[in-house]
Amino acid sequence: MANPHNHSDTFLLGGELEVHRLGFGAMRITGVGIWGPPADGDEARRVLRRAVELGIDLIDTADSYGPNVSEELIAEALHPYPDGLVIATKGGQLRPGPDVWKPDGRPEHLRAVLEGSLQRLRLERIDLYQLHRPDPKVPLKESVGALAEWQREGLIRFIGLSNVSVEQLDEARAVAEIVTVQNRYNVSYRTSQPVLERCQELGIGFIPWQPIGAGDLGEAVERVAARHGATPAQVALAWLLQSSPVQLPIPGTSSVRHLEENVAATELQLDDDDMEALGA
């Protein structure tokens, strides 16, 4: 079985917390619409344990996944956590119902959900806590400033952002050290290219969400996959890993088989022709 340890690249979060560049996104271990428990809770727990067995040491979640369900499953499956496992979570999204997301960046809300995440994950400090989305009704510096305060308090080790522009990243950096940005980005969806480039310039980790993309990845991906005897999803992940040294893809799944396929992407070496065909 392929293993992220065989992929030479690791990344230092905040210059001190080393993780392998292929992580696991724990959104899909919940129910339909990212709502309620998964159809097969035992398989969800097996996926989490297998991810760690395969050498994955960055698991990304959020209080809004479920809500609460993803964090609870992570603790059930993996606590007490092995040394070196980084659990990243997020706050700042309300969930009124399935597939419904509403930003809430008020410091009082963020404090409540941070405390909830600490309790569910059975942690005294969260290694990477991310603002899930800027709230247009709350100045970004207020939301990030609150996280910086709790970082000083010792509840948060490092601060990340999600779903931000270059301007918002720079605004937040004036208030706190930002070690990661998590935006939607994949081989067929590159709207956040300027944010990726800014992260690369600053040495900030870039966590592409929906790293495999939805639906058809395009004929170029299919052709490269056929040439390597790989799946299109593996090609999409290998492209991310090879297109920038700050990329930290976190493919998610509720199936052990898909997890193992995704991890095998770390073994896939795309050549210059492949990268050109994919529009690197």
Side-chain angles (χ1 to χ4, degrees), residues 54 56 119 158 187 210 222 234 239 257 259:
L54 291 169
I56 286 173
Q119 190 174 0
F158 290 118
V187 69
Q210 205 179 83
E222 299 277 354
Q234 287 168 336
W239 178 81
R257 184 176 62 82
L259 168 72

Side-chain angles (χ1 to χ4, degrees), residues 16-27:
E16 60 184 68
L17 199 57
E18 188 171 32
V19 293
H20 290 96
R21 287 180 54 222
L22 188 83
F24 178 76
M27 183 171 81

Side-chain angles (χ1 to χ4, degrees), residues 13-181:
L13 295 170
E16 60 184 68
L17 199 57
E18 188 171 32
V19 293
H20 290 96
R21 287 180 54 222
L22 188 83
F24 178 76
M27 183 171 81
R28 297 275 165 209
I29 58 170
T30 61
V32 175
I34 323 303
W35 187 260
D40 187 341
D42 288 339
E43 178 75 350
R45 285 181 283 271
R46 277 193 292 271
V47 167
L48 289 162
R49 293 188 189 110
R50 186 69 178 131
V52 171
E53 284 172 8
L54 291 169
I56 286 173
D57 52 12
L58 173 63
I59 294 179
D60 178 83
T61 185
D63 75 281
S64 55
Y65 297 165
N68 305 340
V69 173
S70 175
E71 291 181 333
E72 288 165 355
L73 284 167
I74 287 167
E76 285 169 23
L78 299 175
H79 192 272
Y81 302 114
D83 288 346
L85 179 64
V86 173
I87 307 226
T89 193
K90 299 183 278 301
Q93 294 258 56
L94 298 173
R95 297 299 312 283
D99 287 321
V100 183
W101 308 79
K102 293 191 175 175
D104 188 344
R106 294 171 303 131
E108 56 267 37
H109 171 73
L110 294 173
R111 178 69 185 209
V113 293
L114 168 62
E115 289 177 355
S117 292
L118 285 162
Q119 190 174 0
R120 282 185 294 276
L121 291 166
R122 307 178 203 171
L123 289 168
E124 292 181 3
R125 179 181 70 170
I126 288 168
D127 277 329
L128 177 60
Y129 195 79
Q130 305 154 91
L131 179 67
H132 206 153
R133 179 178 293 281
D135 183 345
K137 296 178 182 170
V138 179
L140 185 59
K141 64 182 180 184
E142 277 186 31
S143 301
V144 176
L147 300 187
E149 189 182 314
W150 305 327
Q151 183 180 41
R152 290 189 289 273
E153 202 179 310
L155 301 178
I156 295 170
R157 184 168 180 181
F158 290 118
I159 296 170
L161 302 173
S162 187
N163 302 303
V164 291
S165 65
V166 172
E167 294 72 25
Q168 288 168 326
L169 169 57
D170 288 340
E171 186 183 344
R173 288 180 59 246
V175 182
E177 183 191 5
I178 304 299
V179 305
T180 56
V181 171

